[in-house]
Amino acid sequence: MINDSLLQSLHSHLAWWGLRQFTSDEAYFQWQREALSPAELAALHRQVERKRRGSPADEVAFYDATAHPNILPVLYSQRYDYYLAIGPRVTNRLGEARSILDAGCGVGILTTFYARQYPGKTFVGIDRSPVSIVRAQEQAKALGLSNVQFECLDLDQSPPTRSYDLILATHALVQAEQDSGIPSRSWSTFERAVESRLQADFERRTGLGLRLDRLNALLSAQGRMIVFEKTRQLARRVPLQRALAARDLGLIEQPELIRYRLVEEIADDGPFYLLGRGAPHQLPWDESPEPDEGRPFDRTKLHTGSTDPDAPLYENHWPSAQRAWEQLHNKRLLKETTRQEPDGRQLHVELGEAEEGVYLYCANTLDQRQLVIVEPVRAVVLESYYQEIVSSAF
Ligand SMILES: C[S@@+](CC[C@H](N)C(=O)[O-])C[C@H]1O[C@@H](n2cnc3c(N)ncnc32)[C@H](O)[C@@H]1O
């Protein structure tokens, strides 16, 4: 439960940092053009492009550039609703903790908010971007905060020292957004094999393993950790959860999926995890796909769904399509292809007949599913769709 006065304080805090809240891209980009010179904008776009390549040096250069006083408010305003989503959730869970580490704190927008809310607690923010840390230190000083310190430290290079009651890692542990994670055992299941090599590869590729080990070593005996990463897809969520569980970090509360806006774009992010050590925290980990928006499958209503004669009898582009496909009666395969794609995922496409109609089903090991059912007289539509997928995918 997020109370209004906390939210008001956060709005004031973000305004103090020079951030503005936008709901339209047009207004946001207009402000960007007013606030930054064409040369600054061009330099920023180059930094964004380089960051996409994913090398640590390019990432540090990006965060250094965005911590510049001119750029900071403009760029970080895109994350305004992210701060509204995360700031109060973390603040409400600071609880009894006396010493708190914010790992990968960036310029310290959230760290300084927490420190303002809790003058009696001690905060340390670490980040590997030196310019971000200088900015964080300057801002903390300007705010008159004596309970927060910022240190430039690359978790991948050296471990931080001291012990903490609470460690925060929000958008800091699994930065490799392009990493698609661990595929399922096969196209017909969402289950991931418990295979230590796959897990270790993921932790190494993304840097998660080392970062987590180093942070975990700093946690006091009763310590807690808050983790919020871009790991909503099952293929990334499962290895993150297994990495946490393997380090004896258990769920204190049900993880929460969080949706917020990046100006006009919707970000489905998280989950937000509150974790503690060992036995008292034994909520089970969930490795199933999240509930989705796919149309429930009811064979008695297939012919009454739509007044549009061209509409399929049933269509579902969500993981729940698998359940619907399993429920089809007396399936008879007409054509099928199962192939390995160059990026490692396995793809299966099948065209078949069932009592419900002619169907096309696609599934892959990164949890994408699609089921379309049409009346037998329109089978040719699915036939050409099948050909299109088979020839474009491989
Ligand atoms: C997307 S920002 C998130 C900032 C802040 N935690 C928040 O929630 O707004 C990610 C930050 O993590 C930092 N970071 C990434 N890898 C790091 C590492 N190995 N050691 C220290 N900081 C790191 C980056 O420099 C960047 O400032």
Side-chain angles (χ1 to χ4, degrees):
M1 186 66 188
I2 294 163
N3 77 35
D4 282 352
S5 83
L6 184 63
L7 218 46
Q8 259 329 307
S9 311
L10 183 51
H11 279 294
S12 312
H13 179 75
L14 297 176
W16 183 90
W17 274 84
L19 271 54
R20 300 192 198 173
Q21 189 176 27
F22 288 92
T23 51
S24 111
D25 282 343
E26 197 187 340
Y28 171 71
F29 286 113
Q30 162 125 15
W31 182 51
Q32 204 181 66
R33 284 190 296 274
E34 285 162 14
L36 302 179
S37 68
E40 282 173 321
L41 271 176
L44 187 59
H45 289 144
R46 280 197 299 277
Q47 298 282 11
V48 172
E49 276 314 307
R50 282 199 206 120
K51 179 174 175 263
R52 286 217 178 96
R53 294 201 302 238
S55 88
D58 288 329
E59 203 197 284
V60 171
F62 169 81
Y63 285 110
D64 276 350
T66 56
H68 188 276
N70 278 0
I71 313 257
L72 188 156
V74 180
L75 198 95
Y76 285 90
S77 287
Q78 293 179 9
R79 285 169 71 76
Y80 197 103
D81 288 274
Y82 164 82
Y83 296 126
L84 294 185
I86 298 306
R89 281 182 171 82
V90 171
T91 309
N92 287 340
R93 288 165 178 79
L94 292 181
E96 299 304 307
R98 306 293 304 162
S99 54
I100 296 134
L101 175 72
D102 190 1
C105 61
V107 292
I109 293 174
L110 285 176
T111 331
T112 50
F113 177 65
Y114 308 140
R116 288 177 91 179
Q117 295 305 306
Y118 285 100
K121 299 184 192 292
T122 305
F123 295 83
V124 173
I126 57 164
D127 202 283
R128 68 179 174 188
S129 150
V131 184
S132 297
I133 288 298
V134 168
R135 189 85 328 101
Q137 287 165 336
E138 285 174 1
Q139 297 288 78
K141 192 168 172 212
L143 284 164
L145 291 170
S146 57
N147 60 333
V148 59
Q149 282 176 15
F150 291 98
E151 289 167 25
C152 186
L153 185 136
D154 185 342
L155 259 181
D156 299 345
Q157 302 301 326
S158 42
T161 46
R162 312 223 285 260
S163 116
Y164 295 91
D165 303 329
L166 176 65
I167 295 179
L168 313 174
T170 57
H171 277 181
L173 291 180
V174 196
Q175 286 283 291
E177 287 173 44
Q178 65 285 6
D179 194 297
S180 51
I182 294 188
S184 60
R185 281 179 205 272
S186 84
W187 59 268
S188 59
T189 178
F190 296 105
E191 274 177 29
R192 265 75 195 162
V194 180
E195 209 184 293
S196 52
R197 188 188 50 79
L198 286 179
Q199 178 70 22
D201 282 352
F202 175 82
E203 293 187 16
R204 185 191 35 74
R205 283 193 315 263
T206 57
L208 170 69
L210 182 63
R211 292 174 194 171
L212 212 44
D213 282 337
R214 292 195 159 156
L215 294 179
N216 202 26
L218 307 178
L219 213 53
S220 61
Q222 302 303 315
R224 294 175 307 144
M225 204 182 276
I226 286 177
V227 171
F228 182 75
E229 297 296 331
K230 293 178 183 166
T231 44
R232 180 118 177 196
Q233 307 97 310
L234 198 55
R236 284 163 63 84
R237 171 159 55 96
V238 168
L240 171 64
Q241 294 185 166
R242 290 182 182 178
L244 296 166
R247 288 161 178 87
D248 197 28
L249 291 163
L251 289 170
I252 295 182
E253 61 181 34
Q254 237 10 288
E256 186 187 0
L257 296 164
I258 296 180
R259 171 173 282 191
Y260 56 89
R261 279 185 309 106
L262 293 162
V263 190
E264 280 188 17
E265 194 187 320
I266 300 291
D268 280 314
D269 210 345
F272 183 98
Y273 298 99
L274 176 64
L275 306 150
R277 281 196 191 283
H281 320 289
Q282 287 301 339
L283 284 178
W285 292 101
D286 184 359
E287 295 196 351
S288 54
E290 59 188 272
D292 63 42
E293 294 162 33
R295 185 175 140 201
F297 183 72
D298 180 348
R299 67 193 305 244
T300 63
K301 295 198 178 127
L302 287 181
H303 292 267
T304 56
S306 171
T307 49
D308 175 0
D310 293 331
L313 293 173
Y314 180 83
E315 190 163 16
N316 187 340
H317 298 250
W318 298 84
S320 58
Q322 174 166 318
R323 180 86 190 99
W325 169 75
E326 286 164 355
Q327 287 174 295
L328 291 174
H329 289 77
N330 294 323
K331 289 199 284 270
R332 191 172 73 83
L333 267 178
L334 299 172
K335 287 177 184 179
E336 71 172 324
T337 309
T338 305
R339 298 267 286 268
Q340 207 69 28
E341 292 199 88
D343 67 0
R345 80 184 74 177
Q346 187 191 56
L347 175 78
H348 173 84
V349 194
E350 74 178 53
L351 184 68
E353 289 173 338
E355 284 177 18
E356 289 83 356
V358 175
Y359 73 88
L360 180 79
Y361 183 57
C362 309
N364 71 28
T365 48
L366 288 179
D367 312 305
Q368 288 161 318
R369 301 288 187 270
Q370 186 176 8
L371 176 65
V372 183
I373 307 173
V374 299
E375 276 151 336
V377 289
R378 298 179 56 220
V380 65
V381 177
L382 291 191
E383 177 113 8
S384 65
Y385 197 15
Y386 175 91
Q387 289 307 343
E388 208 179 293
I389 295 172
V390 168
S391 51
S392 69
F394 308 119

